[in-house]
Amino acid sequence: MILSIIAAAGKNDEIGKGNRLLCRLPADLKHFKEITQGHAVIMGRKTFESLPNGALPNRKNIVLSRNKELKINGADVYPALDPALIRLANEKEVFIIGGAQIYAQALPAAGKIYLTKIHAAFPEADAFFPRFDLREWREISRETFPADEKNPYPYSFIELIR
Ligand SMILES: NC(=O)c1ccc[n+]([C@@H]2O[C@H](COP(=O)([O-])OP(=O)(O)OC[C@H]3O[C@@H](n4cnc5c(N)ncnc54)[C@H](OP(=O)(O)O)[C@@H]3O)[C@@H](O)[C@H]2O)c1
C-alpha cells in the first residue's frame, strides 16, 4: 500500500482558517475528487466536521478521534493512525486528507504528496501544512494554471515522491 498525502496550501503553507478551507478553488475540488475517488481517505475529526455534506461519496471514509464514543454516519472512526493503516494494508493507495494534525503525524510514513500550491498568501490562516525536507522528495509532475473567472488565484498541481 502506498500512503499518499493530498493537500492544498498557500504560499506560506497555510491550509485553513476557523476550521474551513482558505478559499474556494473549484478546480482543486475537482482534482481532489478525481484523485481520491474509489480510495480510502483518512482525516482528523475536525476536518470531517468541516465537510459541508458529511462523508465523501465513493470513498471509504476514515476519521481519527480519541473520543471512544464517537460514531459517524458513513465513516469508520479509529483511535489512532496505525490501526487504521493496518486495517487498510491491502489497499493500493490510501489518502491522508488532513488537517494539520493528521498531516504532521502521517508525513513520516507517506510515500507521495499531491500538493496544490495556491500562489497567494493567507495571513488570517490558523492551520498549516507541516514543514518537510524537500531534499527527501522528488518532484515528478507539475501543472500550473492561471486564475480564471471561477478560480480566484493561480495554482499548481504538484506531485512529489520519495
Ligand atoms: N487545505 C487543505 O488541503 C486542507 C485539508 C484538510 C483540512 N484542512 C483544514 O485544516 C484545518 C483542520 O486541521 P486541524 O489540525 O485543526 O484538525 P484535524 O487534523 O482535521 O483534526 C484534529 C483531530 O483529529 C483527532 N486526532 C488527531 N491526532 C489523533 C491521533 N493520533 N489519534 C486519534 N485521533 C487524533 C483529534 O480528534 P478528537 O478531538 O475528536 O479526539 C483532533 O482533535 C481546517 O481549517 C481544515 O479546513 C485543509
Side-chain angles (χ1 to χ4, degrees):
M1 182 254 282
I2 172 156
L3 184 64
S4 296
I5 283 182
I6 184 160
K11 251 184 192 164
N12 305 303
D13 304 325
E14 311 95 312
I15 62 164
K17 57 169 180 195
N19 211 31
R20 302 192 58 179
L21 295 176
L22 296 165
C23 61
R24 240 186 87 72
L25 207 60
D28 184 54
L29 297 180
K30 182 165 174 271
H31 177 74
F32 174 84
K33 188 173 162 189
E34 283 168 3
I35 289 176
T36 58
Q37 195 90 259
H39 294 285
V41 292
I42 301 179
M43 70 198 95
R45 190 260 309 161
K46 289 186 181 171
T47 290
F48 181 82
E49 286 179 355
S50 79
L51 298 176
N53 303 311
L56 297 172
N58 306 320
R59 278 147 285 192
K60 185 197 284 279
N61 287 239
I62 306 273
V63 174
L64 300 185
S65 171
R66 297 188 179 92
N67 176 359
K68 293 192 177 70
E69 313 298 316
L70 185 65
K71 299 257 185 307
I72 296 177
N73 213 359
D76 293 336
V77 181
Y78 279 81
L81 181 59
D82 283 352
L85 294 180
I86 290 167
R87 176 76 177 74
L88 297 169
N90 292 330
E91 301 276 333
K92 202 166 152 219
E93 188 170 15
V94 171
F95 288 89
I96 300 290
I97 66 165
Q101 288 185 33
I102 305 303
Y103 287 140
Q105 294 175 45
L107 193 58
K112 186 162 184 180
I113 302 175
Y114 298 80
L115 179 64
T116 300
K117 197 72 185 168
I118 306 167
H119 300 294
F122 298 89
E124 69 281 21
D126 60 13
F128 295 84
F129 195 80
R131 286 279 141 115
F132 64 104
D133 189 349
L134 257 181
R135 290 169 302 182
E136 289 176 11
W137 295 84
R138 186 159 57 87
E139 188 174 311
I140 55 164
S141 168
R142 178 183 289 250
E143 290 178 285
T144 297
F145 300 89
D148 57 34
E149 64 282 359
K150 286 189 184 147
N151 298 283
Y153 307 105
Y155 52 95
S156 300
F157 295 141
I158 302 167
E159 291 182 17
L160 302 154
I161 57 166
R162 67 166 150 203

